[in-house]
Amino acid sequence: MSNILQLIKENRIYFDGAMGTMLQKRGITSGELPETWNLTHPDVIEDIHCQYLAAGANIITTNTFGANCLKFDNFEELIESGIRCAKNAASKFENAFVAYDIGPLGKFLEPIGTLPFEDAIEIFAKGVRVAERAGVDLIVIETMSDSYETKAAVLAAKENSNLPIFVTNVYDENGKTLTGSSVEAMVALLEGLGVDGIGMNCSLGPDKMIPIVERMARVSSTPIIVNPNAGLPEFIDGHAHYSIDEEEFSNIAIELSNRGANLLGGCCGTDPEYIRKVVLMTQSIPLRSHDKKEITLVSSYTNAVEIGHTPVIIGERINPTGKPRFQEALRKNDLNYILKIAIDQEDTGAHILDVNVGLPDIDEAGMMRAVVSSVQAVCPIPLQLDSNNPIALERAMRIYNGKPLINSVNGDLETMDAIFPLVKKYGGAVIALTLDKNGIPASANERVEIAERILRHASTYGIDSGEIIFDPLAMTVSTDVNNARITIDALRMLNERGYRTSLGISNVSFGLPNRSVVNNAFLSLALCNGLSCAIINPSNAEIMNSYNSFIKGEIADFTYDDFLNSLNLDVVESAPVNSSEISLGDAIVKGLMDYVALKTREQLSIESPLDVINNSIIPALNHVGEGFEKKTLFLPQLLRSAECAGKAFSIIKEAMPQNQKNGKPVILATVKGDIHDIGKNIVRVMLESYGFEVYDLGKDVAPEAILEAVKQYNCKVVALSALMTTTLPAMEKTVKLLHDYDKDIKVMVGGAVLNQEYANMIGADAYGKDAMAAVKYVQSFYN
Amino acid sequence: MIYKDIKSGVISASDFRINLKELRARLGYDFNITEIEPYIKQIANCATFRYAYASLPLKIEKSSCLIGESIVATSSLSTILDGCENVIIFAVSSGSDVDRTINRGYLKSSAEGFILDAVASAYIESFADFVNEMISKELDTTKRFSPGYSDFPLEFQRVLLAYLDAKNTVGIDLTDKILMVPSKSITAVLGIK
């Protein structure tokens, strides 16, 4: 028998149609699970496979869609018998291939849902191992509506077999999956993982799939599979009737073939007659070419970014180098600090975010994994995983939802041999620095030679030139002004050869005054010489202006001489705008964030930090708090004021000697089982703005973890929050555990379900009816 | 899950309006619409409003309801459904992007997070009203009642969502503590009179 991968290069290949629809015709009842028929009616299953093969299908998919260990204790038996049925059928036909069918698990993965990524891989792997033993020709992963679950299934297949892998996803009419992945993002992810066929099935009728096939064909170099439903179902007497008959279905199949579908079949509502007609109508239509597309894509779980077309901005700020505050955040595991930087960069225009968390005294691999998954939970743009530690890179690449950029390899064989196998396994485009063991070459020619060497080595791993993005290395002009020329020459040469390029722009001005002016000029020069990726700080408005001007076509011919001129420019720092007669207190009460920093600094120049707190901030907060209690001010205003106060405090903190810091600790948590933390967060902001040292343990916190924190921080006042009645027992348990440990620990409780009565009932020491009440209680505790 | 009569689909945010009364109640003050408008747009842009519903036979015995093949002990629901022989179960959700947007909001500032959260809650409630009306145009229905209201056990959520194949039709999953993800999701039961 010939190999399926060889066959799809030469012929249009046909999948079977629906299994469920056929089983319904054979009498399965709505309460029965289709997979159980592999054991109870193997003859029927085998017969259905035979019917499809007789109709002209080449690939039959086993009746194992839901046969996983979450749904069946006897999944192994169901898979084995399902494969046996299919193999018996296939043995009677020429060129018949058996595909082990994998459907979704029926649970969302973290962070959207609750199933851990590694658990999902293991569940899929259990099935793959059974199929591998039983002997199939390929694996079909189908009806997947979540990119992350798709990746888990593909990794399970790759790690437990060498079988060809075909993947089809479910798209809506806008070309998006249920969890929001675009067609292009799925193609990037799946081609990165190296699957052998990519496509779509279920949900839509064939007509609605035409535009999706077109989009897929534009970016995909992999054979495209289309298995549509027979239109939309209508239910008559409890039976589904589909809106598109065989005739119409096969006519649309012609259109699908012309637009690029090389593998065709059917999903819900189709039967052997549909397949017979599709084969008849499309057999002679020429195949779409599988030539490698000259497109470089990286992706997140929602969208793909194309590199090499419009220049893209890579945000550089998630990096601890030379940033004490960032380093402190890493050491304290303060992920929120990093997430804010991520969001800020996305909001100001980054297309991709660089993530570097390397510090000598932290577990970089663990931190990389944590930061990548947290950033992906809030930022829908692709990430550039930046580390020289292959273990950290592998951890991050494994759990990354999408196809990342990898930063970086270089001409050194050892580095390439560590990173390229990871790229082959998990997918990714790679930044390649044009240096090697001997350092950074002094000439542009030598840098381009290293680039060519890297490409040759990548190809031995089966990594295409489109996956490599060269960085010709920007070096500071403070040591030699000629450095910029060498970099730009190398950039232009690489660009002329059709390669993608990237530069860390700000390196050029290291050690110079007025760095921003030099950086702007260098960015303009690099863009005019064909730069594909600019690694910059997008929060810097001036550099974004340079980028935007280039995009609008306003700077098309920025020359090297223009760049040299920028080195001599003197820039006058613009003086801060003089503000009106508004006081710091007013700014806080009115929530005028723009004025707070300025006013705090003004105030600090005339009185001591403690006086600023006592004379301006505390009275303002009290004023707002009273207004809130009297209902003349409302929660959003209260929160804005609290944030302004927080801003003022952060400025004062810098001015304050360390030993005068208010060190009064409070522990804060939403109890086990509860994920509602609005109330708790409000209380935190208020407590922090009154100067307390708040240890916020987050939400869904186990009683034992709260006790641990009490011991660790030697803190005797704890505030607990809960919103749901179902989590009150957890709150009671926590109070009891704390009081059993030390009856002097004061526990305040709050949240929508609580009142004074409940608080008494569960043994709490106080009921915090709102954020102000919480502050007052903690103040009274410490007085 | 192709044997059941489940109607499902996506509705564009431009086809219905957020209920401002609901939003005022959630924000706790009579806001100026120009202040809140950008947040409403932000949620509308990231939401995908999906619905699914199906009808099931109903039998009431004393204070228990037999809905489809599941028995639920609840006197409050039995009272509401009294006299009905069938029910509609329905689920709506605005999708996981909304949760992400709210989380981003909280990271930027508590006020922004709080307002986005309230807007998203009011939005999904308004969408539930819209779907409710869509059903009630064709069928004479009772008011809607959700698992967790009064003595209607929250555990019924599992049955309802499994029946609607909600993970695939609407994109709703449950945690072990029976919380719906995405969080801005609503399920309910309506009696058919």
Side-chain angles (χ1 to χ4, degrees):
Chain A
M1 192 168 65
S2 55
N3 179 313
I4 182 74
L5 293 182
Q6 195 53 43
L7 211 62
I8 58 175
K9 285 185 189 153
E10 294 150 9
N11 300 282
R12 191 171 307 286
I13 293 299
Y14 298 93
F15 269 87
D16 53 9
M19 174 59 77
T21 306
M22 296 296 283
L23 287 176
Q24 213 179 354
K25 286 179 187 166
R26 305 293 281 263
I28 195 168
T29 60
S30 69
E32 274 181 286
L33 297 166
E35 294 82 359
T36 60
W37 275 42
N38 293 346
L39 292 171
T40 57
H41 303 75
D43 49 323
V44 175
I45 302 294
E46 186 180 325
D47 183 52
I48 293 170
H49 287 315
C50 285
Q51 286 185 44
Y52 277 119
L53 288 167
N58 310 98
I59 299 174
I60 48 172
T61 48
T62 58
N63 181 34
T64 51
F65 183 80
N68 60 60
C69 64
L70 287 182
K71 290 179 192 150
F72 295 97
D73 288 335
N74 64 336
F75 71 97
E76 293 182 327
E77 202 183 4
L78 293 174
I79 294 171
E80 280 161 4
S81 55
I83 291 173
R84 204 175 311 125
C85 296
K87 284 174 86 171
N88 286 344
S91 68
K92 297 170 190 164
F93 293 83
E94 288 288 309
N95 275 337
F97 298 91
V98 173
Y100 166 54
D101 186 276
I102 300 177
L105 299 175
K107 286 194 88 58
F108 279 128
L109 272 61
E110 289 175 345
I112 296 174
T114 53
L115 184 64
F117 183 65
E118 292 296 335
D119 289 10
I121 295 178
E122 183 48 30
I123 295 165
F124 287 124
K126 282 180 177 158
V128 172
R129 288 193 281 263
V130 177
E132 168 77 20
R133 269 202 308 276
V136 292
D137 301 305
L138 67 150
I139 293 174
V140 169
I141 297 164
E142 60 143 316
T143 324
M144 287 286 172
S145 56
D146 175 19
S147 62
Y148 211 23
E149 186 176 6
T150 310
K151 177 170 177 178
V154 173
L155 282 181
K158 282 179 84 166
E159 288 175 348
N160 294 282
S161 81
N162 289 314
L163 294 164
I165 301 167
F166 289 4
V167 181
T168 56
N169 289 97
V170 180
Y171 295 99
D172 63 21
E173 288 185 35
N174 301 321
K176 281 194 163 190
T177 67
L178 189 64
T179 50
S181 307
S182 68
V183 172
E184 293 78 11
M186 281 313 307
V187 170
L189 170 72
L190 291 169
E191 289 200 334
L193 288 166
V195 306
D196 304 288
I198 294 177
M200 62 209 78
N201 76 298
C202 208
S203 182
L204 300 174
D207 47 337
K208 300 285 179 2
M209 285 185 175
I210 293 171
I212 300 174
V213 172
E214 279 183 334
R215 277 173 65 181
M216 201 169 268
R218 195 186 73 79
V219 291
S220 162
S221 315
T222 309
I224 295 173
I225 306 163
V226 184
N227 292 333
N229 283 353
L232 293 172
E234 263 183 84
F235 290 87
I236 302 164
D237 299 332
H239 287 279
H241 296 265
Y242 285 83
S243 58
I244 294 181
D245 65 12
E246 308 88 270
E247 207 67 47
E248 196 184 346
F249 191 91
S250 57
N251 277 325
I252 303 169
I254 298 174
E255 197 57 30
L256 288 166
S257 304
N258 286 331
R259 310 286 170 107
N262 284 5
L263 295 93
L264 286 165
C267 200
C268 306
T270 59
D271 63 21
E273 216 26 56
Y274 281 77
I275 302 302
R276 193 187 318 280
K277 286 243 162 62
V278 168
V279 175
L280 193 71
M281 303 295 278
T282 62
Q283 222 164 12
S284 57
I285 299 174
L287 292 184
R288 180 183 80 105
S289 142
H290 294 155
D291 290 349
K292 183 74 194 155
K293 288 263 180 337
E294 284 302 314
I295 290 180
T296 304
L297 289 180
V298 293
S299 68
S300 65
Y301 45 92
T302 57
N303 62 305
V305 170
E306 191 176 335
I307 293 173
H309 191 55
T310 307
V312 301
I313 288 170
I314 302 177
E316 68 183 4
R317 287 176 56 208
I318 304 181
N319 191 321
T321 313
K323 297 176 198 151
R325 176 66 188 89
F326 197 106
Q327 293 171 5
E328 185 195 337
L330 286 178
R331 292 196 181 96
K332 285 192 169 166
N333 208 15
D334 179 4
L335 290 181
N336 278 0
Y337 177 79
I338 299 170
L339 294 183
K340 280 180 196 166
I341 295 176
I343 292 172
D344 185 47
Q345 292 186 96
E346 188 201 334
D347 286 350
T348 49
H351 305 107
I352 296 171
L353 298 179
D354 185 81
V355 177
N356 181 319
V357 294
L359 265 193
D361 51 344
I362 67 160
D363 164 24
E364 188 189 350
M367 181 56 76
M368 191 76 171
R369 197 177 191 281
V371 170
V372 165
S373 80
S374 310
V375 171
Q376 285 215 293
V378 293
C379 275
I381 59 175
L383 302 183
Q384 167 166 294
L385 310 175
D386 181 359
S387 173
N388 49 23
N389 173 352
I391 296 168
L393 277 181
E394 167 151 32
R395 290 261 198 104
M397 288 168 81
R398 186 173 176 85
I399 58 127
Y400 181 76
N401 190 355
K403 179 188 171 195
L405 251 181
I406 309 300
N407 191 4
S408 58
V409 297
N410 58 54
D412 178 17
L413 276 181
E414 209 179 302
T415 322
M416 289 193 276
D417 288 336
I419 304 300
F420 284 154
L422 300 178
V423 172
K424 197 63 197 157
K425 178 170 180 188
Y426 297 108
V430 191
I431 303 276
L433 311 179
T434 54
L435 57 84
D436 61 15
K437 270 210 165 90
N438 304 319
I440 302 173
S443 77
N445 274 329
E446 288 169 286
R447 292 187 198 181
V448 176
E449 271 168 33
I450 292 180
E452 295 291 356
R453 217 160 65 218
I454 292 171
L455 276 189
R456 282 195 297 275
H457 199 63
S459 73
T460 65
Y461 283 93
I463 296 168
D464 187 80
S465 68
E467 302 298 313
I468 311 281
I469 296 148
F470 292 107
D471 184 337
L473 302 162
M475 315 221 333
T476 178
V477 290
S478 66
T479 52
D480 181 355
V481 80
N482 205 29
N483 279 340
R485 185 188 288 278
I486 299 167
T487 305
I488 293 296
D489 284 349
L491 173 68
R492 195 180 48 248
M493 289 161 74
L494 290 165
N495 191 38
E496 280 162 6
R497 282 160 207 236
Y499 303 148
R500 321 291 188 240
T501 50
S502 170
L503 275 177
I505 297 297
S506 59
N507 294 340
V508 80
S509 63
F510 189 78
L512 290 182
N514 298 328
R515 288 190 67 175
S516 180
V517 176
V518 181
N519 292 346
N520 285 340
F522 189 62
L523 175 65
S524 300
L525 181 62
L527 289 171
C528 289
N529 281 281
L531 183 68
S532 331
C533 306
I535 306 183
I536 59 170
N537 173 6
S539 315
N540 178 329
E542 289 171 38
I543 202 145
M544 286 307 288
N545 275 341
S546 301
Y547 171 80
N548 288 324
S549 305
F550 176 81
I551 296 295
K552 283 186 215 142
E554 290 164 7
I555 36 170
D557 50 359
F558 199 91
T559 66
Y560 188 68
D561 286 340
D562 293 334
F563 170 70
L564 290 182
N565 288 338
S566 78
L567 296 176
N568 303 324
L569 269 182
D570 284 329
V571 176
V572 185
E573 288 276 329
S574 56
V577 184
N578 203 6
S579 60
S580 54
E581 292 302 305
I582 200 162
S583 74
L584 173 59
D586 290 342
I588 291 173
V589 170
K590 298 199 168 110
L592 303 171
M593 189 54 109
D594 292 346
Y595 289 97
V596 171
L598 185 68
K599 287 290 155 189
T600 308
R601 292 207 176 87
E602 271 180 24
Q603 211 60 34
L604 279 171
S605 67
I606 50 177
E607 55 186 4
S608 77
L610 273 179
D611 284 342
V612 178
I613 295 174
N614 290 330
N615 299 337
S616 296
I617 302 180
I618 300 286
L621 279 175
N622 284 340
H623 178 79
V624 175
E626 281 158 21
F628 180 67
E629 282 180 350
K630 284 190 231 140
K631 298 203 186 301
T632 56
L633 281 172
F634 299 92
L635 193 50
Q637 289 145 306
L638 180 73
L639 290 170
R640 282 203 177 111
S641 295
E643 280 157 16
C644 287
K647 174 82 185 168
F649 271 112
S650 70
I651 291 164
I652 289 169
K653 221 163 118 186
E654 292 164 16
M656 227 188 222
Q658 284 296 323
N659 56 4
Q660 285 190 16
K661 222 168 96 182
N662 173 357
K664 297 169 180 169
V666 191
I667 288 170
L668 200 56
T670 298
V671 297
K672 181 84 194 147
D674 209 323
I675 52 146
H676 299 91
D677 59 357
I678 303 178
K680 186 216 68 187
N681 291 342
I682 296 164
V683 172
R684 184 190 65 212
V685 173
M686 290 300 284
L687 284 171
E688 278 175 348
S689 57
Y690 273 82
F692 292 101
E693 185 87 36
V694 182
Y695 294 98
D696 184 352
L697 308 183
K699 52 196 178 184
D700 191 15
V701 186
E704 297 75 19
I706 297 172
L707 179 58
E708 268 314 300
V710 163
K711 292 180 193 167
Q712 187 186 340
Y713 304 120
N714 191 24
C715 172
K716 302 243 168 170
V717 58
V718 177
L720 300 176
S721 161
L723 181 108
M724 303 188 299
T725 42
T726 47
T727 50
L728 272 182
M731 189 175 253
E732 185 171 9
K733 199 176 156 203
T734 309
V735 175
K736 189 166 180 326
L737 189 73
L738 294 176
H739 282 162
D740 284 352
Y741 171 71
D742 179 352
K743 64 177 171 30
D744 290 337
I745 293 173
K746 296 295 177 197
V747 186
M748 170 170 48
V749 296
V753 291
L754 281 139
N755 54 34
Q756 188 64 53
E757 241 182 315
Y758 269 130
N760 296 343
M761 213 162 74
I762 63 174
D765 300 290
Y767 163 59
K769 127 174 125 48
D770 53 34
M772 272 315 291
V775 170
K776 282 186 181 156
Y777 180 74
V778 178
Q779 281 178 328
S780 69
F781 171 82
Y782 279 108
N783 291 335
Chain B
M1 298 298 111
I2 49 174
Y3 314 119
K4 294 172 192 161
D5 183 357
I6 303 165
K7 292 208 168 54
S8 64
V10 182
I11 301 282
S12 158
S14 59
D15 288 347
F16 68 100
R17 287 177 155 223
I18 184 167
N19 183 339
L20 292 176
K21 229 190 225 168
E22 175 85 34
L23 182 55
R24 283 199 180 93
R26 286 175 186 275
L27 281 175
Y29 74 112
D30 195 5
F31 52 81
N32 180 344
I33 187 70
T34 52
E35 176 200 353
I36 299 297
E37 192 82 56
Y39 300 100
I40 295 177
K41 279 199 182 132
Q42 212 180 325
I43 294 295
N45 285 341
C46 71
T48 308
F49 291 103
R50 291 190 169 85
Y51 68 90
Y53 63 91
S55 101
L56 286 175
L58 167 78
K59 274 202 186 104
I60 299 177
E61 279 170 23
K62 290 180 194 159
S63 58
S64 283
C65 298
L66 178 65
I67 300 177
E69 285 150 17
S70 310
I71 294 180
V72 206
T74 158
S75 56
S76 52
L77 185 62
S78 308
T79 312
I80 288 168
L81 298 181
D82 188 34
C84 301
E85 289 180 354
N86 290 286
V87 292
I88 293 282
I89 53 171
F90 89 86
V92 293
S93 180
S94 49
S96 50
D97 267 0
V98 171
D99 282 348
R100 195 176 299 131
T101 301
I102 296 169
N103 289 340
R104 284 172 70 103
Y106 277 117
L107 282 166
K108 285 186 190 171
S109 84
S110 306
E112 184 163 343
F114 175 80
I115 294 168
L116 285 169
D117 205 328
V119 168
S121 295
Y123 234 130
I124 191 64
E125 199 67 47
S126 312
F127 181 55
D129 291 344
F130 176 83
V131 175
N132 196 151
E133 251 169 59
M134 200 165 83
I135 297 167
S136 301
K137 262 180 208 158
E138 292 183 10
L139 298 163
D140 187 10
T141 57
T142 64
K143 69 172 180 176
R144 71 169 185 264
F145 208 67
S146 296
Y149 283 7
S150 182
D151 67 349
F152 184 12
L154 196 58
E155 283 70 21
F156 188 71
Q157 210 75 286
R158 289 190 205 286
V159 180
L160 189 157
L161 292 174
Y163 196 90
L164 290 175
D165 188 17
K167 196 215 160 201
N168 293 313
T169 52
V170 212
I172 303 176
D173 199 1
L174 276 185
T175 69
D176 297 343
K177 299 274 178 191
I178 328 183
L179 282 171
M180 285 189 280
V181 278
S183 67
K184 301 306 173 199
S185 303
I186 292 175
T187 61
V189 175
L190 305 165
I192 303 176
K193 287 188 220 164

